[in-house]
Amino acid sequence: MKMGNDSTVTKFFLVGLSKYPELQLFLFVLCLIMYVIILPGNSLLIVISTFDSRLHTPMYFFLGNLSFLDICYTSSSIPPMLVIFKSERKSISFIGCALQMVVSLGLGSTECILLAVMAYDRCVAICNPLRYPIIMNRVLYVHMAAWSWIIGCLNSLVQTVLTMVLPFCGNNVIDHITCEILALLKLICSDITINVLIMTVANIVLLVIPLLLIFISYVFILSSILRINSAEGRKKAFSTCSAHLTVVILFYGSALFMYMKPKSKDTKASDEIIGLSYGVVTPMLNPII
């Protein structure tokens, strides 16, 4: 495939953490263990929420979506990552790299919106418990979940296409352990102003705004909890939100660090390890939490 003036890129080499072979071996074992936990854990949550009629509520519907998303996300990134850790050449095809990027970016974007939707659901449940079944009716929460997937996938498709059509001019060594969009943009030998602009807008729409909505939701939730007279009632209300809030802190904390911090030319090992926290650790903790 022609990518520039007489230069062809048919594969990429993922050399992230290659200077630390002991760390790669440790991460291989750790990621393998986590993946073994992620698959049955999230699958069990989906099965239980599907077949137990008592759990046919918006909260468990969104949790089922989140679990399915985590299974797809980790299945698209962890197995290739394990191969890269154990491989000598550490290569991935051009098409394989594009597919990995579009899937991981799409599912990550979807999770950002889905977590905000779940915060709104908890806000309505606690602040307006009597009107909750009317407000969060089936049509509304199904549409909210569907639009989370649609917006996330559209963002991923646009950013991936705009990145992969640009010339790499023979640069095919990615200083990362996955085909992450920030690492790919460093290899492009033409102007990437449009890409940076679209990514900035996407970060605001998919990271900053959902996080702001989550914060506002929890302000209302906290004020409603404090107005509950009984200690048992306050404990029960808080317990329904604490798990979601924990996942939000883990996911958004690492995502904001990766995508909103000032960019440097070189990728640090800490950046790649932090990237694993929202790519591997958070999906493993979701069903446990």
Side-chain angles (χ1 to χ4, degrees):
M1 183 178 293
K2 289 288 181 181
M3 300 303 299
N5 295 329
D6 299 324
S7 60
T8 301
V9 171
T10 59
K11 65 172 63 176
F12 292 99
F13 294 93
L14 299 163
V15 298
L17 300 179
S18 58
K19 298 178 182 178
Y20 311 96
E22 296 83 4
L23 180 59
Q24 282 194 333
L25 178 60
F26 171 75
L27 290 176
F28 174 85
V29 175
L30 185 64
C31 289
L32 181 60
I33 294 173
M34 288 182 176
Y35 189 53
V36 171
I37 297 174
I38 287 168
L39 289 183
N42 284 282
S43 299
L44 182 62
L45 197 150
I46 294 173
V47 170
I48 292 174
S49 61
T50 300
F51 291 99
D52 191 338
S53 59
R54 296 171 298 176
L55 303 182
H56 291 175
T57 63
M59 182 177 74
Y60 283 96
F61 177 78
F62 293 135
L63 282 173
N65 274 263
L66 186 62
S67 292
F68 178 71
L69 185 151
D70 286 337
I71 291 173
C72 295
Y73 185 91
T74 54
S75 295
S76 69
S77 59
I78 294 182
M81 192 187 305
L82 296 177
V83 173
I84 292 297
F85 281 150
K86 298 300 292 181
S87 173
E88 291 293 331
R89 293 183 58 82
K90 304 184 184 300
S91 63
I92 184 172
S93 68
F94 182 91
I95 298 299
C97 186
L99 288 175
Q100 187 182 86
M101 185 165 66
V102 74
V103 172
S104 61
L105 184 58
L107 296 177
S109 302
T110 301
E111 183 160 354
C112 290
I113 305 173
L114 196 58
L115 289 174
V117 168
M118 293 171 71
Y120 173 76
D121 171 65
R122 292 298 83 207
C123 181
V124 175
I126 293 175
C127 299
N128 296 281
L130 297 179
R131 298 182 58 205
Y132 177 72
I134 300 174
I135 297 174
M136 291 299 296
N137 57 77
R138 182 173 179 81
V139 173
L140 177 62
Y141 68 73
V142 169
H143 275 78
M144 293 173 76
W147 278 107
S148 298
W149 285 91
I150 292 170
I151 294 172
C153 291
L154 285 177
N155 168 65
S156 172
L157 189 60
V158 169
Q159 291 206 55
T160 300
V161 170
L162 290 179
T163 299
M164 303 308 284
V165 298
L166 292 175
F168 290 90
C169 301
N171 299 325
N172 65 346
V173 179
I174 302 174
D175 189 16
H176 209 277
I177 53 179
T178 62
C179 288
E180 204 267 344
I181 188 169
L182 293 176
L184 263 293
L185 287 175
K186 294 177 183 178
L187 304 183
I188 293 171
C189 57
S190 65
D191 184 32
I192 59 171
T193 302
I194 297 298
N195 301 74
V196 173
L197 177 61
I198 292 176
M199 180 178 291
T200 302
V201 173
N203 288 341
I204 294 173
V205 173
L206 298 174
L207 279 175
V208 178
I209 293 179
L211 188 58
L212 181 61
L213 293 175
I214 291 172
F215 175 77
I216 294 173
S217 296
Y218 274 96
V219 169
F220 284 107
I221 289 172
L222 182 60
S223 64
S224 296
I225 291 176
L226 293 177
R227 289 198 300 268
I228 298 175
N229 294 325
S230 68
E232 186 65 28
R234 288 194 298 269
K235 182 180 179 181
K236 182 178 179 181
F238 182 75
S239 66
T240 64
C241 301
S242 58
H244 173 261
L245 190 57
T246 303
V247 173
V248 167
I249 293 172
L250 288 171
F251 179 81
Y252 275 98
S254 53
L256 287 170
F257 178 85
M258 288 295 296
Y259 289 96
M260 299 299 289
K261 70 171 185 173
K263 304 298 184 294
S264 61
K265 189 68 177 176
D266 299 322
T267 301
K268 298 179 180 179
S270 60
D271 294 348
E272 300 173 50
I273 295 174
I274 289 174
L276 287 176
S277 68
Y278 71 86
V280 181
V281 178
T282 304
M284 181 193 69
L285 293 179
N286 279 346
I288 298 174
I289 296 172

